[in-house]
Amino acid sequence: MSAGKAAGRPGTVKERADLALNDDFLRKAVRFTTERLRGGKQKAAAEHGNWDEWRERGRQIRLHTIAHLDYYLNLFADNARANGVHVHFAETDAEAVKLSLAIAERKRAKTVVKSKSMVTEELHLNAALDSIGVEAIETDLGEYIIQLAGEAPSHIIIPAIHKNRYQIAELLSEDAGEELLPDTTILAGYVRKKLREKFLEADIGMTGCNFAIAETGSMVLFENEGNARMVTTVPKTQITLMGMERIIPSWEDLEVMATLLPRSATGQKLTVYMSGITGPKREADQDGPEEMHIIIVDNGRSLQLGDPEFQELLNCIRCGACLNACPVYRHIGGHAYGGTYSGPIGAVLTPALQKNVAEWDDIANASSLCGACYEACPVKIPLHDMLVYLRRRKVESGHGNRMESAGMKGFAAVAGKATWFKGAIKLGQLGQKLVVRNGGIRIKAGPLKGWNSYRVTPSLPKKSFRERWKTLSGEVQAEAAPMSAETRSRMEQLVREREKGGGGHGGHA
Amino acid sequence: MADTHKEWLEQLEAQSKAKQESFMTGIAKKLGRSRVTEPPAHPFRGAPDFWRTFQWPLEERIERFTEHFQAAGGNVERLNNLADVKSFVVKLAGEMDARYIVRQQESELDCLGLEEALPEAHLSVWNSDPSENWKVRAAEADIGIVMADYAAAYTGSITVLSAAHKGRSVSLLPTVLIAVIPLERLKTRLGEILIQFDDRGREELPAGIHFISGPSRSADIENDLTIGVHGPGIVYALLVG
Ligand code: SF4
């Protein structure tokens, strides 16, 4: 599509597409879909056998790749370049931002459409784009609603969970300049039409990257909505920001990641879309980006390399399973972590990326005794051990106070041996039956001693989330900023759906 | 601008290549060894051994694919031949009152004769006229029709590969997607499909490889599963053969 052709017809691309009735058609056509999606009738994800073998395989693939990262990353960069991609390396967040802005400026971009990407959040790229007058549009439905409202997301998986359909209808009506009924289908239809106008107009599509395949220089995205596909299909320029550790060797290895990631993230067998993109559009193709950039970002990741206690952090596939498993996270929500990455992985990753143990705050403290994150992790990252290491480093570097140090010594002795540690957790689980009050543990004996003399440790996980939720719900009210009952019931529903293999986003690129 | 932009890109590339060296050297140094430049032995490549030989017979593949695709909110029809595909599509387009239809330029779809059978609808064939703005044609389409290159029963997924005559937009932008899957393309495992991309090698891969496992879904309005906010909200998989 050359400029000449576009000039042959009047108006913008948007005006030339007959989108007027696009949302109407969706509404009409919905009766042709089954009711299976609604009312929780969706069939549960079938039991996937040999889960531990898959986890172990996933771990081995990640360990192998990271242990040879110089080889595989180099191979990826060479192959991506051979595919026609402009590959860039950024050691710091500032460098990654500078590169992104330079491309946007070169392209004289007015708008950038984005699909959810943790790396771009880590870089605060939206604000940076805004500062040079480029509008960044988040296109995940929830992110879009939140952006319209001018708020911050309230939940990592369902960012607009604190808004009910009436509030969303109000927001969208304001945007539309006409009243939209608070009906999910009508609202979805409106956003569909509105956002596809944005996709067609946008100069640049921006994504993250779930996996990068070294042997073919391809990048892989997992998602449920289809907006990541839009972002990589419609605009003429694509910019992908990827953490330097996102590499896997081959497409074969992708089968293992595709087996682990969606099941751990949302309980799905596979996200609705899994896309492997190998270079910009081919000469004769009529869609896909003409120019494609991949910015490989370090920003503290390489600090973990060669660190025996933290190298495995780079194995993380950002599935969010540890968040869902973590009673502390469920209790206090994502905002309290104060970084891009929340939950157990965030508690370790945030200070690790900055090599700043002082960053490890009270929230991380609260997480450190419970192994639920490790049990949930599809690549078996020992987050609970790492929390202990971090704590030790904090104490060693003089950031802990005396009370904490005292607690640490006793605990480190137990945690030093894995089997002892497991035993301690078991003890904790049993012991807490006797001592739980208001969902927290206040005991003065055993390995929890030092920490609990002044701090309440969350109850250790029992069997199901539902049970755990009950234990915690008493505590929720005691928190400074409790979520509303309405929000909480939606979160609970989310977890139920997830257990049955329901929706949500498909992990985070 | 074109020239200066090209020069600018070349400049960036030179910088990038220099940086690549220091990046890799830095990684090797942190890992406490010299650079690895030969392919390392990768004993854990791909799925675990027990999985690699796992196969369902055809009837079970059909059953499982149907079950899984429906569970994700998709529709599955089992049809005997392309003539049945034609009558199915014509009936559906009529019932839905579809005004715009876009399809891939593929021989199986060419011989359906949909253009004559649906005179009321604007039916366009991807990239039949290279001067057309095809993304826009797909964006306004009510129905998109594609041939699946592969399908996997275990995950209930359809695979489509891009090419000049096979737009990525056709399976993405229309409100309704119809994918025709010849039975011989229906595999058991995802791995049977993925390994083919390793075998083809970098130079033979298309720009876009897409696995589609149901209608586009979001879960952001009161946790209600909302379909079709971006991709097709209604998806039909037509198993043919
Ligand atoms: S650390 Fe958490 S987010 Fe990362 S892979 Fe493990 S469970 Fe998933």
Side-chain angles (χ1 to χ4, degrees):
Chain A
M1 271 151 287
S2 71
K5 261 161 262 140
R9 273 179 251 174
T12 63
V13 172
K14 162 191 148 190
E15 282 158 358
R16 298 202 314 272
D18 185 5
L19 298 179
L21 296 173
N22 208 277
D23 53 339
D24 277 340
F25 187 80
L26 175 67
R27 212 174 309 157
K28 275 192 306 184
V30 161
R31 68 194 158 90
F32 286 89
T33 193
T34 57
E35 281 300 300
R36 269 186 295 271
L37 270 178
R38 288 166 205 285
K41 268 180 262 164
Q42 199 201 2
K43 233 183 135 98
E47 272 304 312
H48 185 65
N50 306 84
W51 183 242
D52 266 333
E53 274 184 66
W54 283 99
R55 277 177 87 207
E56 182 57 27
R57 182 56 64 123
R59 181 177 118 89
Q60 293 297 350
I61 291 171
R62 294 299 297 147
L63 282 173
H64 170 84
T65 313
I66 300 300
H68 302 93
L69 190 61
D70 52 336
Y71 175 77
Y72 286 115
L73 186 59
N74 194 56
L75 185 64
F76 171 77
D78 287 349
N79 280 326
R81 223 181 256 126
N83 291 330
V85 176
H86 304 285
V87 179
H88 313 279
F89 292 87
E91 264 161 51
T92 62
D93 49 356
E95 269 176 65
V97 168
K98 199 175 142 212
L99 276 162
S100 310
L101 296 190
I103 298 164
E105 275 175 340
R106 270 277 156 184
K107 290 278 145 188
R108 304 187 181 178
K110 289 193 195 66
T111 57
V112 172
V113 280
K114 292 184 66 204
S115 60
K116 172 122 180 126
S117 146
M118 304 293 280
V119 177
T120 63
E121 283 170 38
E122 182 184 321
L123 305 174
H124 306 291
L125 207 45
N126 289 9
L129 285 165
D130 189 58
S131 74
I132 60 160
V134 177
E135 187 192 4
I137 302 160
E138 292 288 350
T139 61
D140 285 56
L141 175 61
E143 300 278 342
Y144 180 68
I145 291 168
I146 288 304
Q147 213 178 28
L148 275 184
E151 294 172 5
S154 61
H155 185 277
I156 181 173
I157 306 289
I158 302 195
I161 197 163
H162 61 295
K163 294 236 174 285
N164 65 34
R165 73 181 66 208
Y166 301 96
Q167 293 165 317
I168 292 170
E170 218 170 279
L171 269 173
L172 294 177
S173 298
E174 217 173 281
D175 187 56
E178 58 171 309
E179 201 193 327
L180 301 170
L181 294 174
D183 173 281
T184 309
T185 325
I186 291 173
L187 300 177
Y190 171 73
V191 176
R192 176 181 172 89
K193 177 169 150 255
K194 175 87 191 199
L195 280 179
R196 71 186 35 213
E197 289 170 1
K198 300 278 187 198
F199 286 119
L200 288 168
E201 285 171 346
D203 309 288
I204 294 177
M206 190 175 274
T207 74
C209 168
N210 290 104
F211 298 103
I213 299 177
E215 291 175 9
T216 60
S218 314
M219 55 165 286
V220 182
L221 290 167
F222 287 75
E223 51 147 354
N224 281 325
E225 297 197 39
N227 58 321
R229 278 191 71 187
M230 298 291 242
V231 161
T232 54
T233 302
V234 184
K236 287 192 176 171
T237 302
Q238 176 187 334
I239 304 177
T240 291
L241 289 119
M242 73 172 241
M244 65 188 283
E245 81 289 9
R246 300 283 94 199
I247 303 280
I248 51 174
S250 66
W251 288 86
E252 253 194 283
D253 294 313
L254 180 63
E255 184 183 15
V256 179
M257 300 305 146
T259 300
L260 296 171
L261 176 61
R263 284 183 171 83
S264 304
T266 56
Q268 290 169 286
K269 290 187 182 64
L270 190 61
T271 45
V272 174
Y273 301 108
M274 176 174 84
S275 304
I277 296 159
T278 309
K281 83 178 192 69
R282 304 298 181 256
E283 190 73 34
D285 288 355
Q286 291 285 357
D287 54 6
E290 286 165 14
E291 187 175 311
M292 182 171 168
H293 297 265
I294 296 182
I295 303 175
I296 298 170
V297 181
D298 181 339
N299 198 28
R301 287 164 173 79
S302 65
L303 295 173
Q304 318 318 313
L305 289 168
D307 182 329
E309 290 175 338
F310 291 98
Q311 185 165 319
E312 279 189 60
L313 264 185
L314 299 176
N315 295 356
C316 175
I317 60 172
R318 306 278 191 271
C319 70
C322 55
L323 277 64
N324 299 321
C326 176
V328 179
Y329 173 78
R330 286 199 310 270
H331 184 165
I332 59 182
H335 276 248
Y337 287 82
T340 304
Y341 304 98
S342 55
I345 179 65
V348 184
L349 194 59
T350 304
L353 289 180
Q354 303 172 3
K355 266 290 185 250
N356 180 0
V357 286
E359 282 285 314
W360 190 49
D361 57 19
D362 294 349
I363 290 155
N365 267 352
S367 318
S368 52
L369 270 183
C370 154
C373 47
Y374 169 73
E375 297 295 329
C377 179
V379 289
K380 299 167 80 167
I381 300 173
L383 287 168
H384 57 307
D385 289 345
M386 291 180 179
L387 283 158
V388 173
Y389 303 145
L390 258 179
R391 185 178 174 82
R392 191 200 64 228
R393 289 186 189 188
K394 185 176 177 181
V395 171
E396 281 168 3
S397 66
H399 288 291
N401 64 29
R402 266 182 43 243
M403 293 291 280
E404 283 172 320
S405 308
M408 245 349 265
K409 272 180 207 145
F411 187 70
V414 180
K417 286 198 175 165
T419 46
W420 291 15
F421 186 60
K422 271 206 169 130
I425 287 179
K426 286 241 168 63
L427 253 180
Q429 280 166 340
L430 281 175
Q432 86 178 49
K433 278 190 188 149
L434 306 170
V435 295
V436 166
R437 274 197 306 271
N438 293 326
I441 303 170
R442 293 170 202 277
I443 50 173
K444 302 268 180 190
L448 305 180
K449 187 176 163 189
W451 293 12
N452 291 293
S453 46
Y454 66 105
R455 214 171 245 145
V456 176
T457 306
S459 21
L460 303 176
K462 280 167 281 187
K463 280 173 218 109
S464 73
F465 167 69
R466 247 162 295 177
E467 281 175 68
R468 276 178 269 150
W469 186 268
K470 274 184 216 138
T471 320
L472 284 163
S473 54
E475 268 190 9
V476 169
Q477 279 136 35
E479 276 299 304
M483 56 186 117
S484 74
E486 195 188 8
T487 302
R488 194 166 73 242
S489 86
R490 285 202 286 273
M491 278 189 72
E492 288 179 288
Q493 194 204 329
L494 164 72
V495 172
R496 281 197 296 276
E497 293 292 328
R498 188 189 311 285
E499 282 168 359
K500 283 184 301 186
H505 301 273
H508 294 290
Chain B
M1 172 88 190
D3 268 326
T4 57
H5 184 62
K6 204 171 148 241
E7 279 166 27
W8 180 72
L9 287 172
E10 280 164 5
Q11 224 177 323
L12 279 183
E13 183 168 328
Q15 283 170 19
S16 160
K17 282 183 172 162
K19 195 123 202 200
Q20 185 170 339
E21 280 310 298
S22 64
F23 233 73
M24 302 310 150
T25 313
I27 292 172
K29 199 169 151 222
K30 289 203 177 82
L31 287 168
R33 52 163 174 72
S34 52
R35 283 236 352 232
V36 174
T37 48
E38 288 303 309
H42 179 11
F44 302 103
R45 191 182 168 103
D49 287 341
F50 72 88
W51 186 244
R52 304 175 88 91
T53 49
F54 178 68
Q55 283 287 355
W56 280 323
L58 180 64
E59 273 314 311
E60 187 161 10
R61 292 207 292 277
I62 294 170
E63 232 171 80
R64 296 298 181 103
F65 176 86
T66 306
E67 181 192 329
H68 296 155
F69 202 72
Q70 286 179 344
N75 303 284
V76 182
E77 298 287 333
R78 174 87 194 264
L79 303 170
N80 289 319
N81 48 42
L82 285 177
D84 289 357
V85 170
K86 176 181 180 172
S87 19
F88 181 86
V89 172
V90 169
K91 184 162 167 278
L92 189 75
E95 281 174 4
M96 286 184 165
D97 192 20
R99 295 162 312 127
Y100 294 101
I101 300 175
V102 60
R103 68 166 176 87
Q104 306 290 38
Q105 201 184 131
E106 289 184 274
S107 56
E108 294 93 335
L109 300 179
D110 291 343
C111 53
L112 295 182
L114 293 172
E115 288 76 358
E116 298 82 61
L118 290 164
E120 302 290 293
H122 303 261
L123 199 151
S124 42
V125 182
W126 184 262
N127 208 0
S128 52
D129 169 6
S131 69
E132 182 61 82
N133 187 339
W134 287 100
K135 287 186 272 195
V136 164
R137 295 288 78 79
E140 70 194 4
D142 298 323
I143 300 181
I145 308 172
V146 305
M147 292 298 297
D149 291 278
Y150 308 99
Y154 193 78
T155 53
S157 314
I158 297 164
T159 315
V160 288
L161 274 50
S162 72
H165 56 285
K166 288 157 62 181
R168 301 192 217 175
S169 304
V170 181
S171 63
L172 176 66
L173 293 171
T175 310
V176 177
L177 170 63
I178 301 175
V180 180
I181 310 167
L183 280 185
E184 64 274 13
R185 299 185 190 178
L186 175 59
K187 317 282 180 203
T188 304
R189 292 169 285 119
L190 218 48
E192 291 172 73
I193 301 166
L194 292 170
I195 201 164
Q196 305 200 28
F197 305 137
D198 286 325
D199 293 345
R200 283 192 194 203
R202 181 188 69 73
E203 282 170 73
E204 299 304 318
L205 293 185
I209 297 173
H210 300 283
F211 289 78
I212 303 169
S213 308
S216 152
R217 63 205 288 187
S218 316
D220 295 286
I221 301 179
E222 287 195 7
N223 236 7
D224 195 357
L225 278 174
T226 309
I227 57 154
V229 173
H230 294 292
I234 293 106
V235 183
Y236 284 90
L238 309 183
L239 293 169
V240 185

